[in-house]
Short mmCIF file of all heavy atoms in Angstrom, two decimals:
data_model
loop_
_atom_site.label_atom_id
_atom_site.label_comp_id
_atom_site.label_asym_id
_atom_site.label_seq_id
_atom_site.Cartn_x
_atom_site.Cartn_y
_atom_site.Cartn_z
N GLU D 1 8.37 -4.29 -9.17
CA GLU D 1 8.79 -3.71 -7.93
C GLU D 1 9.23 -2.21 -8.21
O GLU D 1 9.61 -1.82 -9.21
CB GLU D 1 10.17 -4.47 -7.61
CG GLU D 1 10.53 -4.05 -6.26
CD GLU D 1 11.72 -4.76 -5.85
OE1 GLU D 1 11.72 -6.04 -5.82
OE2 GLU D 1 12.67 -4.21 -5.34
N VAL D 2 8.65 -1.35 -7.24
CA VAL D 2 8.91 -0.02 -7.41
C VAL D 2 9.32 0.59 -6.02
O VAL D 2 8.59 0.16 -4.98
CB VAL D 2 7.48 0.79 -7.84
CG1 VAL D 2 7.60 2.22 -7.91
CG2 VAL D 2 7.02 0.07 -9.09
N GLU D 3 10.26 1.53 -5.96
CA GLU D 3 10.55 2.13 -4.69
C GLU D 3 10.02 3.45 -4.59
O GLU D 3 9.96 4.22 -5.59
CB GLU D 3 12.15 2.13 -4.59
CG GLU D 3 12.79 0.75 -4.42
CD GLU D 3 14.23 0.94 -4.12
OE1 GLU D 3 14.64 1.84 -3.62
OE2 GLU D 3 14.87 -0.13 -4.53
N PHE D 4 9.63 3.81 -3.43
CA PHE D 4 9.10 5.14 -3.07
C PHE D 4 9.89 5.81 -1.92
O PHE D 4 10.30 5.03 -0.94
CB PHE D 4 7.64 5.17 -2.69
CG PHE D 4 6.66 4.90 -3.72
CD1 PHE D 4 6.40 3.72 -4.27
CD2 PHE D 4 6.06 6.05 -4.29
CE1 PHE D 4 5.51 3.56 -5.34
CE2 PHE D 4 5.13 5.85 -5.33
CZ PHE D 4 4.87 4.60 -5.82
N GLU D 5 10.13 6.97 -1.96
CA GLU D 5 10.78 7.72 -0.84
C GLU D 5 9.67 8.65 -0.18
O GLU D 5 9.21 9.48 -0.82
CB GLU D 5 11.94 8.55 -1.33
CG GLU D 5 13.09 7.79 -1.79
CD GLU D 5 14.39 8.43 -1.60
OE1 GLU D 5 14.52 9.30 -0.78
OE2 GLU D 5 15.37 8.01 -2.24
N LEU D 6 9.38 8.22 1.12
CA LEU D 6 8.32 8.95 1.84
C LEU D 6 8.94 9.61 3.01
O LEU D 6 10.01 9.23 3.47
CB LEU D 6 7.25 7.85 2.29
CG LEU D 6 6.69 7.12 1.15
CD1 LEU D 6 5.72 6.03 1.79
CD2 LEU D 6 5.80 7.95 0.14
N ALA D 7 8.25 10.61 3.49
CA ALA D 7 8.66 11.25 4.72
C ALA D 7 8.77 10.40 5.84
O ALA D 7 7.95 9.34 5.86
CB ALA D 7 7.80 12.60 4.92
N GLU D 8 9.43 10.58 6.83
CA GLU D 8 9.67 9.90 8.13
C GLU D 8 8.19 9.89 8.70
O GLU D 8 7.51 10.96 8.70
CB GLU D 8 10.78 10.44 9.06
CG GLU D 8 10.88 9.67 10.19
CD GLU D 8 12.17 10.08 10.96
OE1 GLU D 8 12.99 10.63 10.42
OE2 GLU D 8 12.09 9.80 12.28
N GLY D 9 7.74 8.72 9.18
CA GLY D 9 6.49 8.66 9.87
C GLY D 9 5.39 8.38 8.95
O GLY D 9 4.16 8.39 9.25
N ALA D 10 5.63 8.21 7.56
CA ALA D 10 4.55 7.83 6.63
C ALA D 10 3.91 6.61 6.96
O ALA D 10 4.47 5.72 7.64
CB ALA D 10 5.23 7.93 5.24
N ASP D 11 2.64 6.59 6.50
CA ASP D 11 2.00 5.33 6.83
C ASP D 11 1.44 4.66 5.44
O ASP D 11 1.71 5.25 4.48
CB ASP D 11 0.72 5.52 7.75
CG ASP D 11 -0.30 6.60 7.23
OD1 ASP D 11 -0.28 6.89 6.14
OD2 ASP D 11 -0.99 7.08 8.11
N VAL D 12 0.75 3.55 5.54
CA VAL D 12 0.25 2.90 4.43
C VAL D 12 -0.59 3.85 3.49
O VAL D 12 -0.61 3.76 2.32
CB VAL D 12 -0.39 1.60 4.71
CG1 VAL D 12 -1.05 0.89 3.48
CG2 VAL D 12 0.60 0.66 5.28
N SER D 13 -1.53 4.60 4.15
CA SER D 13 -2.40 5.47 3.65
C SER D 13 -1.60 6.47 2.59
O SER D 13 -1.92 6.83 1.55
CB SER D 13 -3.23 6.19 4.56
OG SER D 13 -4.06 7.19 3.87
N THR D 14 -0.50 7.13 3.14
CA THR D 14 0.27 8.02 2.50
C THR D 14 0.95 7.31 1.30
O THR D 14 0.94 7.83 0.24
CB THR D 14 1.49 8.49 3.38
OG1 THR D 14 0.98 9.04 4.53
CG2 THR D 14 2.41 9.52 2.72
N LEU D 15 1.46 5.99 1.47
CA LEU D 15 1.90 5.33 0.26
C LEU D 15 0.85 5.14 -0.80
O LEU D 15 1.21 5.27 -1.91
CB LEU D 15 2.43 3.94 0.76
CG LEU D 15 2.97 3.07 -0.41
CD1 LEU D 15 4.12 3.62 -1.13
CD2 LEU D 15 3.31 1.59 0.24
N ILE D 16 -0.38 4.79 -0.43
CA ILE D 16 -1.39 4.59 -1.40
C ILE D 16 -1.59 5.85 -2.08
O ILE D 16 -1.71 5.77 -3.42
CB ILE D 16 -2.71 4.02 -0.73
CG1 ILE D 16 -2.55 2.74 -0.22
CG2 ILE D 16 -3.85 4.22 -1.53
CD1 ILE D 16 -3.62 2.19 0.73
N GLN D 17 -1.62 6.99 -1.54
CA GLN D 17 -1.82 8.31 -2.17
C GLN D 17 -0.66 8.61 -3.18
O GLN D 17 -0.87 9.03 -4.40
CB GLN D 17 -1.96 9.33 -1.13
CG GLN D 17 -3.10 9.36 -0.36
CD GLN D 17 -3.08 10.36 0.80
OE1 GLN D 17 -2.13 11.24 0.96
NE2 GLN D 17 -3.94 10.21 1.80
N ASP D 18 0.54 8.19 -2.71
CA ASP D 18 1.62 8.46 -3.65
C ASP D 18 1.69 7.48 -4.87
O ASP D 18 2.01 7.92 -5.93
CB ASP D 18 2.95 8.25 -2.95
CG ASP D 18 3.33 9.48 -2.03
OD1 ASP D 18 2.56 10.46 -1.89
OD2 ASP D 18 4.43 9.62 -1.55
N VAL D 19 1.28 6.29 -4.61
CA VAL D 19 1.04 5.31 -5.67
C VAL D 19 0.13 5.72 -6.72
O VAL D 19 0.34 5.82 -7.97
CB VAL D 19 0.73 3.88 -5.21
CG1 VAL D 19 0.36 2.91 -6.37
CG2 VAL D 19 1.70 3.25 -4.46
N VAL D 20 -1.00 6.39 -6.35
CA VAL D 20 -2.09 6.87 -7.22
C VAL D 20 -1.59 8.17 -7.93
O VAL D 20 -1.85 8.23 -9.07
CB VAL D 20 -3.34 7.16 -6.51
CG1 VAL D 20 -4.39 7.83 -7.19
CG2 VAL D 20 -3.90 5.81 -5.97
N LYS D 21 -0.80 8.84 -7.28
CA LYS D 21 -0.21 10.11 -7.92
C LYS D 21 0.80 9.74 -9.06
O LYS D 21 0.78 10.36 -10.13
CB LYS D 21 0.53 10.96 -6.92
CG LYS D 21 -0.40 11.73 -6.06
CD LYS D 21 0.51 12.61 -5.15
CE LYS D 21 -0.48 13.31 -4.09
NZ LYS D 21 0.39 14.01 -3.12
N ARG D 22 1.64 8.74 -8.76
CA ARG D 22 2.61 8.26 -9.86
C ARG D 22 1.89 7.40 -10.91
O ARG D 22 2.39 7.49 -12.09
CB ARG D 22 3.72 7.42 -9.10
CG ARG D 22 4.90 7.16 -10.07
CD ARG D 22 5.99 6.46 -9.48
NE ARG D 22 6.78 7.00 -8.34
CZ ARG D 22 7.79 6.53 -7.81
NH1 ARG D 22 8.08 5.28 -8.21
NH2 ARG D 22 8.32 7.11 -6.79
N TYR D 23 1.06 6.65 -10.47
CA TYR D 23 0.30 5.71 -11.36
C TYR D 23 -1.25 5.82 -11.31
O TYR D 23 -1.96 5.18 -10.75
CB TYR D 23 0.56 4.13 -11.11
CG TYR D 23 2.08 3.97 -11.12
CD1 TYR D 23 2.85 3.93 -9.82
CD2 TYR D 23 2.79 3.70 -12.24
CE1 TYR D 23 4.16 3.63 -9.97
CE2 TYR D 23 4.15 3.53 -12.19
CZ TYR D 23 4.83 3.45 -11.15
OH TYR D 23 6.21 3.32 -11.05
N PRO D 24 -1.68 6.97 -11.97
CA PRO D 24 -3.04 7.23 -11.88
C PRO D 24 -4.02 6.20 -12.21
O PRO D 24 -5.21 6.11 -11.80
CB PRO D 24 -3.30 8.50 -12.85
CG PRO D 24 -2.02 9.04 -13.07
CD PRO D 24 -0.96 8.02 -12.83
N GLN D 25 -3.52 5.26 -13.16
CA GLN D 25 -4.36 4.21 -13.61
C GLN D 25 -4.80 3.11 -12.41
O GLN D 25 -5.67 2.35 -12.52
CB GLN D 25 -3.83 3.32 -14.79
CG GLN D 25 -2.48 2.64 -14.34
CD GLN D 25 -1.21 3.40 -14.46
OE1 GLN D 25 -1.27 4.62 -14.47
NE2 GLN D 25 -0.11 2.73 -14.57
N THR D 26 -4.08 3.37 -11.31
CA THR D 26 -4.34 2.47 -10.08
C THR D 26 -5.40 2.99 -9.25
O THR D 26 -5.82 2.39 -8.29
CB THR D 26 -3.03 2.22 -9.22
OG1 THR D 26 -2.65 3.53 -8.79
CG2 THR D 26 -1.95 1.68 -10.12
N ALA D 27 -5.85 4.22 -9.55
CA ALA D 27 -6.78 4.97 -8.51
C ALA D 27 -8.01 4.11 -8.30
O ALA D 27 -8.43 3.94 -7.26
CB ALA D 27 -7.25 6.30 -9.16
N GLU D 28 -8.80 3.53 -9.31
CA GLU D 28 -9.91 2.72 -9.22
C GLU D 28 -9.63 1.50 -8.28
O GLU D 28 -10.40 1.21 -7.41
CB GLU D 28 -10.45 2.35 -10.52
CG GLU D 28 -11.82 1.79 -10.34
CD GLU D 28 -12.92 2.69 -9.73
OE1 GLU D 28 -12.86 4.00 -9.97
OE2 GLU D 28 -13.80 2.14 -9.08
N MET D 29 -8.39 0.79 -8.61
CA MET D 29 -8.20 -0.29 -7.85
C MET D 29 -7.95 -0.09 -6.43
O MET D 29 -8.27 -0.80 -5.59
CB MET D 29 -6.98 -1.03 -8.49
CG MET D 29 -6.58 -2.30 -7.80
SD MET D 29 -5.05 -2.97 -8.38
CE MET D 29 -3.79 -2.06 -7.63
N LEU D 30 -7.21 1.10 -6.18
CA LEU D 30 -6.85 1.37 -4.73
C LEU D 30 -7.91 2.27 -4.03
O LEU D 30 -7.61 2.63 -2.92
CB LEU D 30 -5.51 1.94 -4.74
CG LEU D 30 -4.32 1.11 -5.22
CD1 LEU D 30 -3.02 1.80 -5.26
CD2 LEU D 30 -4.25 -0.11 -4.28
N LYS D 31 -8.94 2.57 -4.71
CA LYS D 31 -9.97 3.62 -4.12
C LYS D 31 -10.36 2.93 -2.77
O LYS D 31 -10.47 3.79 -1.80
CB LYS D 31 -11.21 3.61 -5.09
CG LYS D 31 -12.21 4.57 -4.54
CD LYS D 31 -13.27 4.60 -5.67
CE LYS D 31 -14.34 5.49 -5.24
NZ LYS D 31 -15.45 5.48 -6.27
N GLY D 32 -10.84 1.68 -2.72
CA GLY D 32 -11.12 1.02 -1.43
C GLY D 32 -10.10 0.14 -1.09
O GLY D 32 -10.46 -1.07 -1.01
N ALA D 33 -8.89 0.47 -0.98
CA ALA D 33 -7.70 -0.30 -0.97
C ALA D 33 -7.95 -1.63 -0.10
O ALA D 33 -7.47 -2.58 -0.47
CB ALA D 33 -6.48 0.40 -0.50
N THR D 34 -8.41 -1.43 1.06
CA THR D 34 -8.47 -2.52 2.01
C THR D 34 -9.67 -3.54 1.67
O THR D 34 -9.76 -4.67 2.03
CB THR D 34 -8.68 -2.10 3.49
OG1 THR D 34 -9.68 -1.28 3.62
CG2 THR D 34 -7.44 -1.34 3.89
N LYS D 35 -10.61 -2.94 0.75
CA LYS D 35 -11.73 -3.82 0.45
C LYS D 35 -11.47 -4.73 -0.81
O LYS D 35 -11.85 -5.83 -0.81
CB LYS D 35 -13.00 -3.01 0.25
CG LYS D 35 -13.55 -2.30 1.47
CD LYS D 35 -14.75 -1.61 1.08
CE LYS D 35 -15.01 -0.59 2.23
NZ LYS D 35 -15.84 -0.98 3.27
N GLY D 36 -10.64 -4.12 -1.64
CA GLY D 36 -10.36 -4.84 -2.96
C GLY D 36 -9.08 -5.48 -3.04
O GLY D 36 -8.67 -6.07 -4.05
N ASN D 37 -8.17 -5.39 -2.01
CA ASN D 37 -6.80 -5.74 -2.06
C ASN D 37 -6.45 -6.50 -0.83
O ASN D 37 -6.82 -5.98 0.40
CB ASN D 37 -5.93 -4.61 -2.42
CG ASN D 37 -6.12 -3.99 -3.71
OD1 ASN D 37 -5.74 -4.52 -4.68
ND2 ASN D 37 -6.77 -2.85 -3.83
N LEU D 38 -5.47 -7.32 -0.83
CA LEU D 38 -4.82 -7.84 0.45
C LEU D 38 -3.50 -7.01 0.45
O LEU D 38 -2.75 -6.95 -0.54
CB LEU D 38 -4.43 -9.29 0.21
CG LEU D 38 -3.72 -9.94 1.32
CD1 LEU D 38 -4.47 -9.94 2.75
CD2 LEU D 38 -3.39 -11.30 0.96
N ILE D 39 -3.24 -6.38 1.48
CA ILE D 39 -2.18 -5.43 1.63
C ILE D 39 -1.23 -6.08 2.69
O ILE D 39 -1.67 -6.26 3.74
CB ILE D 39 -2.41 -3.94 1.95
CG1 ILE D 39 -3.41 -3.48 0.83
CG2 ILE D 39 -1.09 -3.05 2.08
CD1 ILE D 39 -3.98 -2.03 1.21
N LEU D 40 0.04 -6.37 2.27
CA LEU D 40 0.97 -6.96 3.16
C LEU D 40 2.00 -5.94 3.42
O LEU D 40 2.58 -5.42 2.51
CB LEU D 40 1.61 -8.20 2.60
CG LEU D 40 0.60 -9.34 2.15
CD1 LEU D 40 1.31 -10.44 1.34
CD2 LEU D 40 -0.11 -9.79 3.35
N LEU D 41 2.47 -5.90 4.71
CA LEU D 41 3.57 -5.11 5.06
C LEU D 41 4.56 -5.90 5.86
O LEU D 41 4.30 -6.59 6.80
CB LEU D 41 3.14 -3.93 6.11
CG LEU D 41 4.33 -3.16 6.66
CD1 LEU D 41 5.10 -2.44 5.66
CD2 LEU D 41 3.82 -2.18 7.69
N ASP D 42 5.60 -6.07 5.15
CA ASP D 42 6.75 -7.07 5.58
C ASP D 42 6.18 -8.54 5.84
O ASP D 42 6.35 -8.91 6.94
CB ASP D 42 7.40 -6.42 6.82
CG ASP D 42 8.03 -5.17 6.54
OD1 ASP D 42 8.70 -5.10 5.40
OD2 ASP D 42 8.22 -4.28 7.22
N SER D 43 5.31 -8.99 5.04
CA SER D 43 4.64 -10.29 4.92
C SER D 43 3.44 -10.36 6.04
O SER D 43 3.08 -11.48 6.28
CB SER D 43 5.60 -11.30 5.22
OG SER D 43 6.61 -11.36 4.17
N VAL D 44 3.09 -9.28 6.47
CA VAL D 44 2.00 -9.26 7.55
C VAL D 44 0.78 -8.48 6.93
O VAL D 44 1.05 -7.25 6.66
CB VAL D 44 2.40 -8.71 8.89
CG1 VAL D 44 1.27 -8.74 9.89
CG2 VAL D 44 3.61 -9.48 9.57
N GLU D 45 -0.41 -9.05 6.90
CA GLU D 45 -1.60 -8.35 6.41
C GLU D 45 -1.85 -7.14 7.32
O GLU D 45 -1.85 -7.24 8.60
CB GLU D 45 -2.74 -9.34 6.41
CG GLU D 45 -3.90 -8.92 5.43
CD GLU D 45 -4.81 -8.00 6.03
OE1 GLU D 45 -5.15 -8.05 7.27
OE2 GLU D 45 -5.16 -6.98 5.44
N ILE D 46 -1.96 -6.01 6.78
CA ILE D 46 -2.16 -4.84 7.45
C ILE D 46 -3.48 -4.72 8.44
O ILE D 46 -3.39 -4.03 9.46
CB ILE D 46 -2.15 -3.50 6.67
CG1 ILE D 46 -3.34 -3.35 5.74
CG2 ILE D 46 -0.83 -3.32 5.98
CD1 ILE D 46 -3.51 -1.95 5.13
N GLY D 47 -4.32 -5.65 8.22
CA GLY D 47 -5.51 -5.62 8.98
C GLY D 47 -5.15 -6.24 10.51
O GLY D 47 -5.89 -6.05 11.40
N ASN D 48 -4.04 -6.94 10.53
CA ASN D 48 -3.48 -7.49 11.67
C ASN D 48 -2.63 -6.55 12.45
O ASN D 48 -2.06 -6.77 13.47
CB ASN D 48 -2.74 -8.82 11.44
CG ASN D 48 -3.59 -9.91 11.09
OD1 ASN D 48 -4.73 -10.06 11.52
ND2 ASN D 48 -3.07 -10.66 10.11
N LEU D 49 -2.32 -5.39 11.80
CA LEU D 49 -1.58 -4.26 12.36
C LEU D 49 -2.48 -3.11 12.67
O LEU D 49 -3.52 -3.27 13.38
CB LEU D 49 -0.45 -3.94 11.37
CG LEU D 49 0.40 -4.99 11.08
CD1 LEU D 49 1.34 -4.72 9.83
CD2 LEU D 49 1.32 -5.52 12.16
N SER D 50 -2.26 -1.98 12.25
CA SER D 50 -3.04 -0.75 12.43
C SER D 50 -3.86 -0.40 11.06
O SER D 50 -4.13 0.76 10.86
CB SER D 50 -2.31 0.40 12.93
OG SER D 50 -1.84 0.03 14.15
N GLY D 51 -4.01 -1.30 10.14
CA GLY D 51 -4.74 -0.98 8.92
C GLY D 51 -3.87 0.04 8.09
O GLY D 51 -2.63 -0.05 8.17
N VAL D 52 -4.50 0.97 7.46
CA VAL D 52 -3.82 2.02 6.53
C VAL D 52 -3.04 2.95 7.41
O VAL D 52 -2.28 3.71 6.88
CB VAL D 52 -4.80 2.56 5.50
CG1 VAL D 52 -5.29 1.63 4.65
CG2 VAL D 52 -5.89 3.35 6.09
N ALA D 53 -3.25 2.98 8.80
CA ALA D 53 -2.59 3.88 9.56
C ALA D 53 -1.18 3.26 9.99
O ALA D 53 -0.42 3.91 10.80
CB ALA D 53 -3.42 4.26 10.73
N THR D 54 -0.99 2.06 9.59
CA THR D 54 0.32 1.32 9.97
C THR D 54 1.40 2.23 9.41
O THR D 54 1.50 2.51 8.28
CB THR D 54 0.23 0.03 9.30
OG1 THR D 54 -0.86 -0.72 9.92
CG2 THR D 54 1.63 -0.79 9.90
N ARG D 55 2.29 2.57 10.27
CA ARG D 55 3.52 3.32 9.91
C ARG D 55 4.51 2.47 9.13
O ARG D 55 4.71 1.30 9.50
CB ARG D 55 4.11 4.00 11.23
CG ARG D 55 3.28 5.04 11.73
CD ARG D 55 4.11 5.93 12.68
NE ARG D 55 3.10 6.91 13.19
CZ ARG D 55 3.08 8.18 12.78
NH1 ARG D 55 3.79 8.60 11.74
NH2 ARG D 55 2.24 8.99 13.31
N LEU D 56 5.24 3.08 8.33
CA LEU D 56 6.19 2.36 7.53
C LEU D 56 7.67 2.81 8.05
O LEU D 56 7.79 3.87 8.56
CB LEU D 56 6.12 2.79 5.98
CG LEU D 56 4.77 2.53 5.27
CD1 LEU D 56 4.72 3.16 3.95
CD2 LEU D 56 4.44 1.17 5.28
N SER D 57 8.56 1.83 7.92
CA SER D 57 10.05 2.08 8.25
C SER D 57 10.81 2.25 6.95
O SER D 57 10.25 2.01 5.81
CB SER D 57 10.51 1.08 9.04
OG SER D 57 10.48 -0.17 8.37
N GLU D 58 12.01 2.60 7.08
CA GLU D 58 12.87 2.94 5.90
C GLU D 58 12.85 1.78 4.93
O GLU D 58 12.93 1.81 3.67
CB GLU D 58 14.24 3.28 6.44
CG GLU D 58 15.19 3.62 5.30
CD GLU D 58 16.51 4.16 5.71
OE1 GLU D 58 16.60 4.69 6.83
OE2 GLU D 58 17.53 4.00 4.89
N ASP D 59 12.93 0.49 5.53
CA ASP D 59 13.17 -0.63 4.73
C ASP D 59 11.86 -1.46 4.54
O ASP D 59 11.78 -2.68 4.14
CB ASP D 59 14.17 -1.61 5.10
CG ASP D 59 15.44 -0.96 5.16
OD1 ASP D 59 15.92 -0.22 4.17
OD2 ASP D 59 16.37 -1.10 6.03
N SER D 60 10.67 -0.88 4.72
CA SER D 60 9.47 -1.70 4.67
C SER D 60 9.17 -2.02 3.17
O SER D 60 9.42 -1.41 2.13
CB SER D 60 8.20 -0.60 4.99
OG SER D 60 8.27 -0.33 6.42
N GLU D 61 8.51 -3.31 3.17
CA GLU D 61 8.13 -3.81 1.84
C GLU D 61 6.68 -3.89 1.92
O GLU D 61 6.09 -4.64 2.80
CB GLU D 61 8.81 -5.15 1.53
CG GLU D 61 8.30 -5.70 0.26
CD GLU D 61 8.90 -7.09 -0.13
OE1 GLU D 61 8.60 -8.10 0.62
OE2 GLU D 61 9.77 -7.18 -0.88
N VAL D 62 5.99 -3.30 1.01
CA VAL D 62 4.38 -3.36 0.92
C VAL D 62 4.04 -4.07 -0.38
O VAL D 62 4.59 -3.75 -1.42
CB VAL D 62 3.82 -2.04 0.96
CG1 VAL D 62 2.28 -2.10 0.84
CG2 VAL D 62 4.26 -1.21 2.30
N VAL D 63 3.23 -4.99 -0.17
CA VAL D 63 2.74 -5.71 -1.44
C VAL D 63 1.19 -5.66 -1.54
O VAL D 63 0.52 -5.80 -0.52
CB VAL D 63 3.13 -7.27 -1.34
CG1 VAL D 63 2.51 -8.08 -2.45
CG2 VAL D 63 4.53 -7.48 -1.21
N PHE D 64 0.78 -5.15 -2.73
CA PHE D 64 -0.71 -5.16 -2.86
C PHE D 64 -1.14 -6.36 -3.67
O PHE D 64 -0.55 -6.65 -4.78
CB PHE D 64 -1.13 -3.91 -3.80
CG PHE D 64 -0.86 -2.64 -2.91
CD1 PHE D 64 0.48 -2.00 -3.14
CD2 PHE D 64 -1.75 -2.04 -2.17
CE1 PHE D 64 0.72 -0.68 -2.50
CE2 PHE D 64 -1.46 -0.86 -1.54
CZ PHE D 64 -0.12 -0.23 -1.73
N VAL D 65 -2.11 -7.13 -3.28
CA VAL D 65 -2.50 -8.32 -3.94
C VAL D 65 -4.12 -8.16 -4.18
O VAL D 65 -4.80 -8.14 -3.30
CB VAL D 65 -2.30 -9.69 -3.17
CG1 VAL D 65 -2.78 -10.86 -3.89
CG2 VAL D 65 -0.89 -9.73 -2.65
N PRO D 66 -4.47 -8.09 -5.51
CA PRO D 66 -5.82 -7.82 -5.80
C PRO D 66 -6.62 -9.10 -5.47
O PRO D 66 -6.08 -10.18 -5.73
CB PRO D 66 -5.92 -7.53 -7.30
CG PRO D 66 -4.46 -7.40 -7.69
CD PRO D 66 -3.62 -7.87 -6.56
N VAL D 67 -7.78 -8.96 -4.84
CA VAL D 67 -8.49 -10.08 -4.41
C VAL D 67 -9.65 -10.29 -5.50
O VAL D 67 -10.29 -9.33 -5.97
CB VAL D 67 -9.29 -9.70 -3.07
CG1 VAL D 67 -10.17 -10.84 -2.67
CG2 VAL D 67 -8.26 -9.59 -1.95
N THR D 68 -9.54 -11.47 -5.98
CA THR D 68 -10.83 -11.94 -6.99
C THR D 68 -11.45 -12.98 -6.51
O THR D 68 -10.97 -13.86 -5.77
CB THR D 68 -10.08 -12.22 -8.37
OG1 THR D 68 -9.18 -13.37 -8.10
CG2 THR D 68 -9.30 -11.02 -8.93
N HIS D 69 -12.73 -13.00 -6.91
CA HIS D 69 -13.64 -14.14 -6.52
C HIS D 69 -14.43 -14.65 -7.71
O HIS D 69 -14.59 -13.82 -8.71
CB HIS D 69 -14.74 -13.58 -5.49
CG HIS D 69 -14.19 -13.06 -4.30
ND1 HIS D 69 -13.92 -13.88 -3.22
CD2 HIS D 69 -13.85 -11.81 -3.86
CE1 HIS D 69 -13.30 -13.12 -2.17
NE2 HIS D 69 -13.32 -11.84 -2.64
N GLY D 70 -14.53 -15.98 -7.70
CA GLY D 70 -15.22 -16.43 -8.85
C GLY D 70 -16.25 -17.53 -8.42
O GLY D 70 -16.35 -17.79 -7.26
N GLY D 71 -16.99 -17.98 -9.38
CA GLY D 71 -17.89 -18.87 -8.97
C GLY D 71 -18.30 -19.85 -10.22
O GLY D 71 -17.77 -19.71 -11.19
#
């Protein structure tokens, strides 16, 4: 669990950029964030909201879940 302080009106895209700045090793994983990850904002998948343009509130909880497939 990591906390970020973002400017008012920040969206999921802004958070992704800040995560990559703080943790450069996540850049490849988050490069196509919506293609390789399930992103939940307050337990709702962001695809059901406004995608990466979904605005965050002060107490938003964002969860990145890497998607893996096997066979």
Side-chain angles (χ1 to χ4, degrees):
E1 185 174 313
V2 179
E3 290 189 26
F4 283 82
E5 292 210 20
L6 303 171
E8 189 171 329
D11 58 17
V12 174
S13 178
T14 303
L15 174 63
I16 291 170
Q17 292 170 13
D18 281 11
V19 169
V20 170
K21 283 180 189 172
R22 190 183 293 184
Y23 303 100
Q25 67 273 23
T26 65
E28 188 62 34
M29 180 185 81
L30 295 176
K31 183 177 181 181
T34 57
K35 295 182 194 270
N37 296 283
L38 176 64
I39 303 173
L40 305 172
L41 172 60
D42 299 325
S43 301
V44 178
E45 201 276 319
I46 64 167
N48 293 320
L49 302 168
S50 297
V52 294
T54 303
R55 293 196 181 260
L56 303 171
S57 64
E58 185 176 332
D59 295 324
S60 291
E61 179 180 68
V62 179
V63 177
F64 295 93
V65 182
V67 177
T68 58
H69 300 277

